[in-house]
Amino acid sequence: MDLTDFGAGAQYIAGRSDRGRGEPFQVVNPVDGSVVEQVTLASTGQVDEAVAAARAALPEWAGATPGARSEALTRLAAVLTGAADDLARVETAQTGKPIKLSTEFDVPGTIDNTAFFAGAARNLEGRAAGEYSGDHTSYVRREPIGVIGSISPWNYPLQMAAWKVLPAIAAGNTVVLKPAELTPLTSLMFARACTLAGIPDGVVNVVTGAGRTAGEHLVAHPDVAMVSFTGSTPVGRRVAELAAATVKRTHLELGGKAPFVVFDDADLDAAVHGAVAASLINSGQDCTAATRAYVQRPLYEAFVTGVAELYRAVRVGDPLNPRTDLGPLVSHTHRDRVAGFVERARAAGATVVTGGATGTEGHDGTDLTPGAYYLPTLITGAAQDSEVVQGEIFGPVLVVLPFDTDDEGLRLANDTPFGLAASAWTGNVHRSLRATRELAAGCVWVNDHIPIISEMPHGGYKSSGYGKDMSQYSMDEYTQVKHVMFDTTAVARKDWHRTVFGDR
């Protein structure tokens, strides 16, 4: 099976590729607008077929031993390793992200996740069996939930597909994944890799379709027991509403507006370099990217100057060039949305220190004008309640604001509806402990911002959603807990019966 042969169709149901029966759709390379693949989107009937395939595969897969599921995931890691170059190339083609990011972050991160869940499959945790009542032995079973409907975003198509699929199938569930129609190709490759690894047909299915048709139909489907969604907060609310109608469990990883808090004793050089990397990763199209830098007054001017200098030195260009630092945004539509945030901030009186424009010529001489490029943009002078500070821009834009006291800095950092990630920069252990305690976010870094690891959970507070991806904690999302209780007395008439009938 050629993982990169998309001619058979953009649907993968019951171990077979199929053409969609909906509208035609072009997967476009945002570098120049060229067509990567012409696909046909899924009909609601194909969503039904995928759910039926997942439901049919459930008894065998749920009944497999943890060891058998672990061995299958170990084989999957090997298949993905063998396809690493193809996965990186296709990921860059459909998203525009630099090849060095695809090669050194997206693909190896996905393989590491797969290897982690191969181990996690054999470690379903529960309270030890015991006679907690004195007259009964109790123990806990962790059981799969059933068919999982998963919806993944366009910014990290391969990694997000893996984050959705791996813990679900490691726990014995089956999955129907709907990737973003803009970037479905590596999700299809991942599903095909599952088949090559010997994972039974129907355990992992992919339907490539529009959110308002295929996505909503999947969420509302009566045979889907749980929905896992990663995307924007407004769409997450819609997912929760639809899921509530059939009382589905939901797992929502939503938007972010991560603060980057720099105290006056921080290593300035480290903070400047960290801010540039954390704000520009994946062209800023990362829900944990640094978007709001709060810098204590003594370091503020030097921080702004340092970030601006590094922003101007960032190499924007062809993402297939291994020296390119920043590629295009995912589409011209999204590029224009990001530009709109900046222009409205400028009109409201904020200062665009550098950037604030589309790219024209790359570091390698590439003509950037056909692409969805936007230059690294640094903004100062915005009000805390302004759109550019409060809203999720999802682009290479960093807003820097000063603060005076520690109380003020932490208060401003928490002053948005979001709570996915944050970082604190300080050389003082007491400040760092206070910041990690008080910053309302699901992940808080100290003197760094953005690294993630398979062994630790990822998920948000507040409007950034709930539930965890990665780590052993994610297995809790995809299992249901059953209490089993055995009488140990062999006594027919129990003492507690008298509370219902009869006397002692």
Side-chain angles (χ1 to χ4, degrees):
M1 180 187 295
D2 181 359
L3 297 186
T4 63
D5 180 11
F6 303 107
Q11 319 305 322
Y12 197 75
I13 301 171
R16 292 177 294 279
S17 295
D18 194 9
R19 297 184 185 277
R21 296 196 285 270
E23 297 295 319
F25 188 84
Q26 293 179 336
V27 178
V28 173
N29 189 329
V31 169
D32 55 11
S34 61
V35 177
V36 180
E37 287 291 338
Q38 176 81 44
V39 303
T40 307
L41 299 180
S43 66
T44 55
Q46 286 177 298
V47 175
D48 293 338
E49 292 170 14
V51 173
R55 189 177 182 188
L58 183 63
E60 177 189 354
W61 185 247
T65 64
R69 294 198 291 265
S70 174
E71 289 170 3
L73 290 173
T74 299
R75 295 192 299 269
L76 176 59
V79 173
L80 295 172
T81 299
D85 290 344
D86 285 340
L87 287 164
R89 176 180 54 80
V90 174
E91 193 77 330
T92 287
Q94 66 180 352
T95 64
K97 66 178 63 191
I99 191 67
K100 65 179 180 179
L101 185 65
S102 296
T103 302
E104 298 179 32
F105 181 71
D106 295 65
V107 174
T110 300
I111 294 169
D112 185 71
N113 263 252
T114 307
F116 172 81
F117 281 107
R122 305 183 78 148
N123 186 32
L124 294 177
E125 295 182 345
R127 185 179 293 274
E131 288 69 49
Y132 297 103
S133 77
D135 292 336
H136 306 81
T137 295
S138 289
Y139 70 88
V140 168
R141 291 177 54 87
R142 280 196 177 272
E143 298 179 346
I145 295 170
V147 176
I148 312 297
S150 294
I151 300 176
S152 57
W154 49 256
N155 57 334
Y156 291 101
L158 176 62
Q159 285 210 78
M160 296 297 100
W163 285 16
K164 297 298 180 195
V165 170
L166 292 170
I169 66 173
N173 303 281
T174 57
V175 176
V176 178
L177 172 72
K178 193 206 83 66
E181 62 269 31
L182 291 176
T183 56
L185 302 181
T186 48
S187 298
L188 289 164
M189 294 173 71
F190 186 86
R192 292 171 179 174
C194 290
T195 297
L196 288 178
I199 295 172
D201 294 347
V203 172
V204 178
N205 308 273
V206 175
V207 288
T208 300
R212 291 188 179 276
T213 52
E216 293 203 356
H217 191 68
L218 178 63
V219 172
H221 200 290
D223 290 337
V224 170
M226 172 185 166
V227 174
S228 179
F229 170 81
T230 296
S232 72
T233 297
V235 178
R237 293 192 187 101
R238 175 62 176 161
V239 168
E241 290 171 0
L242 290 169
T246 47
V247 200
K248 289 179 172 61
R249 185 186 294 196
T250 54
H251 168 211
L252 304 177
E253 199 263 271
L254 308 178
K257 190 70 178 175
F260 187 100
V261 184
V262 182
F263 295 97
D264 58 13
D265 65 339
D267 181 325
L268 178 62
D269 191 48
V272 167
H273 282 80
V276 172
S279 60
L280 299 185
I281 186 171
N282 204 36
S283 299
Q285 298 167 129
D286 186 308
C287 48
T288 61
T291 60
R292 301 175 289 138
Y294 295 98
V295 184
Q296 206 151 23
R297 194 82 60 178
L299 297 185
Y300 176 79
E301 294 295 340
F303 179 88
V304 170
T305 299
V307 171
E309 289 177 356
L310 286 182
Y311 266 17
R312 296 184 187 109
V314 166
R315 296 167 299 194
V316 182
D318 179 1
L320 288 176
N321 184 329
R323 296 187 70 248
T324 292
D325 300 319
L326 193 77
L329 299 178
V330 73
S331 69
H332 286 80
T333 299
H334 185 61
R335 191 269 311 275
D336 294 345
R337 177 183 177 276
V338 170
F341 273 93
V342 176
E343 291 311 307
R344 290 189 294 274
R346 198 191 320 248
T351 299
V352 177
V353 178
T354 189
T358 58
T360 56
E361 183 178 349
H363 70 98
D364 49 4
T366 302
D367 179 12
L368 304 183
T369 54
Y373 288 90
Y374 198 75
L375 297 179
T377 299
L378 184 64
I379 295 175
T380 60
Q384 173 67 16
D385 63 355
S386 64
E387 177 194 48
V388 77
V389 173
Q390 295 291 323
E392 187 175 30
I393 301 173
F394 225 58
V397 180
L398 178 65
V399 184
V400 187
L401 302 94
F403 69 92
D404 291 303
T405 67
D406 290 14
D407 288 350
E408 180 189 17
L410 294 171
R411 177 180 60 78
L412 292 172
N414 285 331
D415 182 29
T416 73
F418 301 104
L420 187 58
S423 65
W425 296 74
T426 175
N428 184 299
V429 66
H430 302 292
R431 266 179 165 166
S432 66
L433 287 171
R434 180 187 178 190
T436 57
R437 183 174 65 249
E438 295 186 13
L439 286 168
C443 178
V444 179
W445 294 281
V446 177
N447 296 329
D448 207 344
H449 190 118
I450 220 71
I452 54 175
I453 51 174
S454 297
E455 291 83 359
M456 287 289 117
H458 177 85
Y461 288 16
K462 303 191 293 185
S463 291
S464 291
Y466 47 82
K468 300 299 178 186
D469 289 311
M470 298 197 300
S471 82
Q472 194 70 37
Y473 291 95
S474 69
M475 299 290 280
D476 295 342
E477 306 294 331
Y478 295 98
T479 54
Q480 48 196 352
V481 173
K482 177 184 288 183
H483 171 214
V484 178
M485 199 174 201
F486 287 88
D487 170 61
T488 61
T489 67
V491 173
R493 186 174 180 184
K494 308 288 194 298
D495 186 56
W496 71 267
H497 291 176
R498 68 184 176 81
T499 63
V500 181
F501 72 99
D503 301 317
R504 186 184 295 274

